Amino acid sequence: MRKIKNLEMKNISKSFHSVFANKNLNLKINSGEILGLLGENGAGKTTLMNILYGLYQPDSGEIKINNKTIKINSPLSSIEHGIGMVHQHFMLIQNHSVIENIALGYKDTPFFFPKLKIKKKVLEFSKKFNFPVELSKKVWQLSAGEQQRIEIIKALLNGADLLILDEPTSVLTPQEAKELFKILNDMKSRGHMIIFISHKLNEIMGLCDRVIVLRKGEIIGDAETNKTDKKSLAKMMIGREVVFNIKKDKIQTGKPVLNVDNISVLDDKDRYALKNISFTIHENEILGVAGVAGNGQKELAEAITGIRKISTGCVTIKGKNITNISPRKIFDQGVSHVPEERIKFGIAPGLFLYDNAILKQHHLGKYSKKSFLQYDKIKAHTKNLIKKFNVAAPPINTEIRNLSGGNIQKLILGREISEEPSLLVASHPTYGLDVGATQYLREQLLERRKLGGAILLFSEDLDEIFELCDKIAIIFEGKFTAILDADDKRLSDIGLMMAGSLEYV
């Protein structure tokens, strides 16, 4: 029997540093319904759900379950009311096993022999919802899709009638996303309610019964998905028309910029992640690297930018050897980097926005004079970046950790592109971004290409790869199975190449 038959949030408001994240928001969901929550980065989606899950307290408003007003003071209180949440970044302990993680997150875990006592219950849930789990495996050994299943099991074990999913497909392969949607539709058929936070219009249209659109902390629209379309939703979301297919002009490539000659690189477990990789990128050229996550993309980006040591081989920028020199010296040679792990490598969370706007650039003459930082120039630069790259941000003397993930990403991209690098290494540059920001940033990459820049683009979004790239390299188990022109007909077999079943080298 369902504890929650309907849930309502009424007139919810929440502000941070005098900036409204949510303003008089109203939301209602019923049993057996999947509700999409759509909006730009910083629109207030995650804040609203963090209020429902008890992580934040609203400044005003009320929450009702089955038409009765309730108070949610903490995540534990939310769980007791039948609400579960799977966060965008999973809350799992990497060095513990699956069963240990589930036991830690289960409210009724017994003190004695916890793993033995809940094992049967976990297996019943995994069978019921048809997603098998290997309970003895360590979390770090699991794919992103498997880790997500563990989070869902944790929520269901705790009796969640309403499941909140925050950008659930951002770390999944297309196949894992399809499997997730099957699970969610099965849950819906059993009477569960699901709130699906996303910026991906295809997912909202394909999965959700109804969608609420947020912009700048307010609800702009509420529609049944079978009575609307992607174009209308996109316009509501960002307040203007969106171009879904960006025009890429043919450009004659210039001189070689990056040359990678036969490099091999070890991963964090001292195994070869890259094996004798070679390629060249020219001026006015974007080379895209396509592949399933974990096949060496991360290690390749880190090797070129100096974060990871190269075991054998050589990397040159415009003829200058940069193999195994420091990231700072590589930057000084005209290489900018948008890292995959943005929080770890892209920002200093405890520093202000204007500090983060010049990371790696503080030593340049335009920002420092006789070892002293020129803060008037730094702040002017920061304000320009925020305006140009549409970063929704509080005052620039706020710690960057207070920005949403998407807005942190836009600031990093703006910072790296603003130096007009000879080579831009961009790992998943539009990951987590809404359609408007994605369109804008893709246009910025094409503009950098037009101005003579070379770009090495890593992306798991094949539409992005085909839309932007002049050449496409397919990577599998640390080797390129092909490097082809973007209009090469053999790319119709890209799925086989990504799986290692076909090579054109």
Side-chain angles (χ1 to χ4, degrees), residues 258-261 277-281 287 300 304 456 480 483:
L258 171 70
N259 186 64
V260 175
D261 185 18
I277 291 276
S278 297
F279 62 95
T280 300
I281 310 180
L287 172 68
L300 179 56
I304 291 169
L456 177 59
F480 283 162
I483 302 177

Side-chain angles (χ1 to χ4, degrees), residues 239-295:
R240 59 179 174 81
E241 295 284 349
V242 176
V243 178
F244 285 98
N245 291 300
I246 298 171
K247 184 181 177 182
K248 179 182 69 178
D249 296 325
K250 281 269 188 183
I251 299 178
Q252 182 69 37
T253 58
K255 297 175 182 177
V257 174
L258 171 70
N259 186 64
V260 175
D261 185 18
N262 216 32
I263 67 167
S264 295
V265 177
L266 296 172
D267 65 13
D268 294 333
K269 301 184 181 78
D270 288 330
R271 300 175 302 193
Y272 277 103
L274 298 175
K275 306 159 190 173
N276 302 318
I277 291 276
S278 297
F279 62 95
T280 300
I281 310 180
H282 300 79
E283 295 171 341
N284 309 104
E285 185 175 57
I286 301 177
L287 172 68
V289 179
V292 177
N295 277 282

Side-chain angles (χ1 to χ4, degrees), residues 14 26 99 150 152 352 362 436 450 480 484:
K14 179 69 177 177
N26 293 283
I99 191 68
I150 306 310
I152 293 173
F352 296 145
H362 58 277
K450 183 179 178 181
F480 283 162
L484 303 172

Side-chain angles (χ1 to χ4, degrees), residues 3-131:
K3 287 185 290 186
I4 307 179
K5 294 180 180 178
N6 61 71
L7 180 141
E8 188 175 7
M9 302 181 78
K10 295 187 69 176
N11 299 317
I12 299 293
S13 292
K14 179 69 177 177
S15 62
F16 299 95
H17 304 283
S18 301
V19 176
F20 273 105
N22 296 148
K23 191 172 183 180
N24 298 322
L25 296 185
N26 293 283
L27 174 153
K28 190 169 185 179
I29 184 170
N30 297 306
S31 178
E33 184 179 24
I34 300 179
L35 173 66
L37 209 55
L38 181 68
E40 291 184 277
N41 305 111
K45 309 182 296 294
T46 300
T47 298
L48 183 64
M49 291 301 99
N50 281 339
I51 289 171
L52 183 55
Y53 193 57
L55 288 170
Y56 295 153
Q57 295 302 305
D59 298 333
S60 60
E62 62 178 341
I63 299 171
K64 290 186 173 185
I65 288 180
N66 301 336
N67 302 315
K68 293 182 179 179
T69 300
I70 62 163
K71 182 72 175 174
I72 298 177
N73 297 311
S74 67
L76 182 60
S77 171
S78 182
I79 289 167
E80 288 172 348
H81 283 293
I83 300 167
M85 185 169 181
V86 177
H87 300 269
Q88 186 175 2
H89 302 289
F90 306 139
M91 305 295 186
L92 299 172
I93 300 173
Q94 296 294 308
N95 289 328
H96 282 206
S97 68
V98 169
I99 191 68
E100 287 168 342
N101 271 275
I102 293 173
L104 286 168
Y106 182 38
K107 64 181 180 180
D108 295 324
T109 296
F111 183 80
F112 293 106
F113 309 109
K115 292 190 287 185
L116 289 174
K117 297 246 177 123
I118 68 170
K119 183 176 180 180
K120 183 179 178 182
K121 197 170 183 67
V122 172
L123 292 174
E124 285 175 358
F125 266 88
S126 64
K127 185 177 180 181
K128 179 180 178 181
F129 290 98
N130 194 30
F131 45 95

Side-chain angles (χ1 to χ4, degrees), residues 36-43 45-46 88 165-171 196-205 211-214 230 233-234 237-238 242 244 405-406 409 429-439 442 461 464:
L37 209 55
L38 181 68
E40 291 184 277
N41 305 111
K45 309 182 296 294
T46 300
Q88 186 175 2
L165 294 162
D166 189 359
E167 301 284 1
T169 65
S170 60
V171 293
F196 188 88
I197 304 174
S198 182
H199 63 274
K200 298 179 180 178
L201 295 168
N202 287 336
E203 294 178 354
I204 292 287
M205 293 297 294
V211 57
I212 290 176
V213 183
L214 274 67
K230 285 198 307 179
L233 291 177
M237 194 164 93
I238 65 173
V242 176
F244 285 98
Q409 195 170 344
T430 59
Y431 161 78
L433 297 185
D434 55 71
V435 288
T438 295
Q439 175 194 343
R442 287 178 181 174
D461 184 339
E464 182 167 79

Side-chain angles (χ1 to χ4, degrees), residues 480-496:
F480 283 162
T481 54
I483 302 177
L484 303 172
D485 290 336
D487 56 1
D488 194 308
K489 293 180 180 179
R490 289 174 290 180
L491 283 169
S492 60
D493 294 323
I494 193 169
L496 293 173

